[in-house]
């Protein structure tokens, strides 16, 4: 069942969706040509915000951890996409080791690992779970809420390769975003494919670099589609050398907030949008909704109280925040049963394989929904979202999902270019 949505269906977004429907042939040709020149990430997920007047990504994750939230009906599509990805990477592969996060107490995350492993097994691979957690010193069983179980084994080093006891696989798939850095056991691997590459982890990756790549992708796409790039792209800038605890860099941060707000106000005036612009200040590296604040005036980032400074100072794995991205806030006008919602689009290789709505009953339409108290509603695509119904309304479910899929693929394309650029820097170093 498709979730019941309450969405503003007038204004530029409806026009944007109609234009996408009218130009599906050109869009699919454009993507086909783009993927001929770029290698897609093995998998990715994209947080999308639908403001009614704008549809844009606000975050892209290269180590997605919510496969358990996808509708079961979409598993055949996910398996087919995974098979396509593996055939390109290592067509003769017989086995793969999946390296998860160290969240052994988070059974919902472990359910994601189980779902991901099930998808990969259906491609014909022997899948084992190799953990880098110091707590996993022997094969350890974990029972899951849905009645299943998984077994985590300690990841082992075999010369320039890694594996688990009795298995040195063709490829290693990371579902660990390396926020705490690349563990020694994964450093210096040779003659073995590691997906995503190590430089995709948050130890080196930056959100500002991703959205710089997205700027370039959207510029070309918008020219083809003949639209204002702003309709699918949030403004952003970034600042570094901050110290929230010592209040170092507050003035520079305030100037950046003013810069993005001013540009956004111009666009709101151009389109007659009667909403208050805001920005989201967030750590330039990291996930899990940590190190994030919503700001409507530059004065709000000057003289932060102790609680606010503590919130912004540290992200996952206790890492200190010194670099931030200041991103135009995109309202979400979607609600599911009176709760604010945002779609998260999931991809394997270059294919959209489903998604879900992140829902939060305690947050507003201009707030971050990736926070404690959120829950998920699967996007049960009635048909694959790459096959819109051009005879139906632009806001019909399959057509709206198609628009989400377009945005997701643009973000994945940006990620591919981002990774290519950082790989070249890594090689040069």
């Amino acid at each position: 069942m498709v979730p019941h949505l309450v969405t503003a269906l007038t204004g530029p977004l409806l026009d944007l969706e109609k234009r996408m429907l009218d130009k599906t042939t050109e869009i699919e040709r454009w993507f086909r040509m783009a993927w001929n020149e770029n290698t897609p990430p093995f998998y990715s997920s994209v947080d999308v915000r639908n403001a009614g007047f704008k549809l844009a990504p606000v975050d892209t994750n290269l180590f997605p951890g919510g496969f358990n939230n996808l509708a079961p009906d979409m598993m055949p599509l996910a398996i087919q996409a995974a098979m396509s990805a593996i055939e390109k990477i290592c067509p003769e592969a017989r086995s793969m080791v999946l390296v998860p996060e160290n969240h052994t107490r988070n059974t919902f995350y472990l359910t994601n690992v189980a779902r991901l492993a099930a998808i990969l097994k259906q491609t014909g691979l022997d899948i084992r779970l190799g953990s880098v957690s110091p707590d996993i010193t022997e094969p350890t069983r974990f029972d899951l809420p849905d009645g299943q179980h998984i077994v985590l084994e300690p990841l082992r080093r075999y010369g320039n390769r890694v594996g688990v006891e009795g298995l040195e696989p063709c490829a290693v798939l990371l579902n660990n975003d390396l926020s705490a850095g690349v563990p020694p056991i994964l450093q210096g691997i040779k003659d073995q494919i590691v997906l995503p590459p190590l430089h995709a982890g948050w130890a080196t990756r930056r959100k500002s670099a991703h959205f710089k790549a997205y700027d370039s992708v959207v510029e070309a796409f918008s020219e083809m589609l003949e639209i204002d790039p702003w309709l699918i792209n949030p403004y952003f800038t970034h600042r570094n050398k901050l110290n929230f605890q010592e209040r170092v860099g507050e003035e520079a941060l305030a100037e950046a907030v003013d810069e993005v707000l001013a540009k956004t106000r111009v666009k709101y005036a151009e389109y007659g949008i009667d909403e208050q612009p805001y920005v989201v200040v967030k750590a330039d590296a990291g996930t899990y909704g940590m190190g994030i604040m919503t700001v409507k005036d530059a004065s709000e980032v000057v003289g932060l109280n102790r609680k606010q400074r503590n919130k912004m100072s540290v992200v996952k794995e206790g890492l200190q925040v010194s670099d931030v991205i200041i991103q135009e806030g995109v309202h979400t006008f979607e609600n599911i049963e009176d709760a604010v919602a945002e779609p998260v689009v999931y991809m394997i290789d270059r294919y959209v394989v489903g998604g879900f709505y992140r829902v939060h009953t305690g947050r507003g339409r201009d707030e971050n929904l990736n926070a404690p108290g959120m829950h998920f509603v699967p996007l049960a695509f009635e048909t694959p979202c790459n096959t819109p119904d051009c005879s139906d309304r632009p806001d019909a479910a399959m057509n709206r999902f198609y628009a989400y899929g377009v945005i997701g693929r643009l973000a994945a394309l940006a990620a591919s270019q981002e990774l290519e650029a950082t790989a070249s820097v890594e090689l040069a170093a």
Side-chain angles (χ1 to χ4, degrees), residues 14-23 225-227:
L14 195 63
D15 293 339
L16 174 63
E17 292 173 330
K18 186 176 186 307
R19 184 170 290 272
M20 287 185 180
L21 289 179
D22 291 343
K23 291 205 168 189
L225 201 58
E226 298 178 309
I227 61 169

Side-chain angles (χ1 to χ4, degrees), residues 137-198:
T137 58
E138 61 183 5
T140 305
R141 172 176 168 144
F142 291 87
D143 294 319
L144 305 178
D146 61 0
Q148 299 185 76
H149 75 273
I150 61 173
V151 176
L152 298 185
E153 305 176 62
L155 194 68
R156 301 186 184 279
R157 188 73 181 232
Y158 300 98
N160 290 327
R161 299 165 66 89
V162 294
V164 293
E165 186 68 36
L167 177 66
E168 294 180 45
C170 168
V172 177
L173 179 63
L174 300 178
N175 199 241
N176 182 317
D177 64 19
L178 308 178
S179 290
V182 180
I185 196 171
L186 291 174
Q187 296 175 10
I189 292 177
K190 297 179 181 178
D191 304 320
Q192 194 173 37
I193 298 168
V194 178
L195 301 166
L198 296 178

Side-chain angles (χ1 to χ4, degrees), residues 35 40-41 44 46 60 347 349 407-417:
W35 287 125
S44 58
V46 181
T60 300
M347 280 159 289
D349 197 62
I407 299 300
R409 286 184 287 168
L410 289 172
L413 182 59
S416 72
Q417 296 183 5

Side-chain angles (χ1 to χ4, degrees), residues 16 20 45-51 54-61 207 210-211 213-215 217-218 229-236 280 282 325 327-331 342-345 347 403-415:
L16 174 63
M20 287 185 180
S45 66
V46 181
D47 296 354
V48 180
R49 301 278 285 202
N50 177 352
K54 179 169 186 160
L55 184 67
V58 294
D59 210 358
T60 300
N61 188 356
K207 296 178 183 180
H210 172 75
F211 280 97
Y214 186 77
D215 278 348
V217 167
V218 166
W230 178 77
L231 294 174
I232 56 174
N233 192 13
Y235 288 132
F236 80 96
V280 178
K282 51 189 172 182
I325 180 172
Q327 187 179 66
E328 172 196 345
V330 182
H331 298 79
E342 67 181 8
V344 184
V345 177
M347 280 159 289
Y404 293 163
V406 168
I407 299 300
R409 286 184 287 168
L410 289 172
L413 182 59

